[in-house]
Amino acid sequence: MRIAKLGLIVLVLLSFSVSFANAQGTGEGLTIGFSQIGSESAWRTSFTEAVLAEAKERGINLLFSDAQQSQENQIAAIRAWLAQGDVDAIILAPVIATGWDDVLKEAADAGVPVVIVDRNVDSDPSLFVTRVSSDFVHEGRLAAAWLVQATSGDCKIVELYGTVGSAAAEDRHKGFMEVIALFSKMQVIHSETGNFVRTEGKAVMQSILSSEDPANICAVFAHNDDMAIGAVEAIKEAGLTPGKDILIVSVDAIPDVFDAMDAGTINATVELSPFMGGPAFDAVAAHLNGEKLPAWIPVAGKLYTSRAAYDADH
Ligand code: AHR
């Protein structure tokens, strides 16, 4: 009889340890705070939807905060989660790179691990577990390389800048400029922020078309598809043909950009995958399991010039 009881106890303990290990493997049963920048672009909305769906699939209790592009709101949300005392980890998509040291130190002191996703922070990497993101510099290089080959290295360019101070904008600019610097006839003649927002991209392009000689503009490099689509509207309203009179290359590979490619108004885009939730939740689970993680978990993206090429890869 005693052996039977002992066997039952062992079985119960084994089932508990298996379920605990499983929870640690996928994140199931964890409470995780996700501080999202906002909903400024179609890509950001897709990213949010993908993370929420992944959390639901894994049985993670996700606390979601949309900061409406305000760093103050992001920091307040993180502090509220730390005060709750029952949050196992935090995932942060930082709107800009600076200003995170204090809140990341507070999270570390509270023993709540933080995983950075999408954009980057300039804080000491010891303050967060890892970063899941694309290589923004590479995205800028890809866009520039495509434009060089499309114009034989001779093009005056308008740059529609993303959010100033964000890693996505700063690093895409850096990569783009590195490549065009190799070609004496490739020149950015005007660079202005549209803050990754479609309506702002249109307004900035309208202003540039009224201040610059449109015949002098060979191409637009937009830091995201939403601003590129805004620029298309402005170029059309100016009586020009986008994609022909003025070439357009951007980043994100959102569904609308392939409608524009079908219409010939946008020429190329560099894909930014919205599926970073899975790797981020895996990183949380691995960290809580005591595993060491790399400082950066990269997410790849290719340049596409047609819907067919994109569909062949997805
Ligand atoms: O951080 C990634 C950028 O942020 C995307 O390219 C853009 O659409 C979003 O606003």
Side-chain angles (χ1 to χ4, degrees):
M1 186 56 178
R2 284 182 63 191
I3 290 173
K5 274 188 180 175
L6 185 62
L8 181 62
I9 290 166
V10 168
L11 274 176
V12 166
L13 285 175
L14 268 178
S15 66
F16 176 76
S17 62
V18 166
S19 60
F20 181 74
N22 178 49
Q24 293 309 310
T26 61
E28 183 184 7
L30 295 178
T31 295
I32 298 176
F34 174 33
S35 173
Q36 176 61 297
I37 290 170
S39 52
E40 74 284 355
S41 69
W43 180 86
R44 180 73 50 195
T45 302
S46 299
F47 176 32
T48 293
E49 288 166 356
V51 172
L52 297 181
E54 185 69 26
K56 187 175 180 188
E57 171 74 22
R58 292 175 180 233
I60 289 171
N61 173 31
L62 194 75
L63 309 175
F64 177 72
S65 162
D66 174 334
Q68 292 161 7
Q69 294 214 109
S70 154
Q71 180 177 41
E72 189 183 341
N73 291 346
Q74 291 198 278
I75 291 171
I78 292 169
R79 286 181 168 146
W81 291 329
L82 295 178
Q84 264 179 232
D86 61 354
V87 173
D88 298 300
I90 288 169
I91 292 175
L92 167 63
V95 59
I96 55 171
T98 56
W100 301 99
D101 291 355
D102 291 347
V103 74
L104 289 176
K105 285 191 186 107
E106 291 163 31
D109 292 345
V112 178
V114 176
V115 169
I116 304 296
V117 292
D118 178 25
R119 299 180 188 175
N120 203 357
V121 297
D122 69 358
S123 300
D124 187 308
S126 68
L127 290 175
F128 51 92
V129 171
T130 188
R131 176 182 174 225
V132 178
S133 78
S134 66
D135 181 337
F136 298 128
V137 174
H138 183 65
E139 292 163 353
R141 290 182 185 135
L142 281 178
W146 177 85
L147 191 56
V148 164
Q149 61 78 42
T151 60
S152 304
D154 183 354
C155 187
K156 289 186 170 46
I157 306 154
V158 163
E159 181 184 32
L160 297 181
Y161 216 92
T163 300
V164 176
S166 70
E170 303 302 328
D171 287 352
R172 283 171 186 164
H173 172 78
K174 178 170 181 265
F176 188 84
M177 297 308 286
E178 273 176 10
V179 171
I180 69 163
L182 303 172
F183 301 87
S184 60
K185 293 183 178 176
M186 296 293 282
Q187 183 193 358
V188 172
I189 57 171
H190 194 113
S191 180
E192 191 170 340
T193 185
N195 220 8
F196 289 126
V197 173
R198 194 171 297 197
T199 52
E200 292 188 41
K202 178 176 181 178
V204 167
M205 195 67 208
Q206 284 172 325
S207 162
I208 292 168
L209 285 166
S210 61
S211 59
E212 300 279 349
D213 173 2
N216 204 23
I217 301 171
C218 150
V220 170
F221 168 47
H223 286 186
N224 81 330
D225 291 342
D226 283 77
M227 293 192 292
I229 290 165
V232 164
E233 291 169 19
I235 293 166
K236 280 181 178 172
E237 288 171 8
L240 296 164
T241 306
K244 290 181 179 53
D245 297 332
I246 297 179
L247 301 178
I248 299 179
V249 55
S250 62
V251 186
D252 281 350
I254 63 171
D256 286 357
V257 85
F258 294 107
D259 294 340
M261 281 186 191
D262 291 346
T265 57
I266 291 180
N267 305 93
T269 186
V270 180
E271 179 185 19
L272 174 60
S273 171
F275 302 108
M276 292 186 238
F281 293 140
D282 289 345
V284 166
H287 174 78
L288 293 175
N289 237 1
E291 294 171 37
K292 182 93 178 79
L293 289 157
W296 178 41
I297 297 170
V299 172
K302 285 168 63 174
L303 180 138
Y304 292 98
T305 57
S306 73
R307 183 193 299 277
Y310 179 83
D311 289 347
D313 283 349
H314 296 78

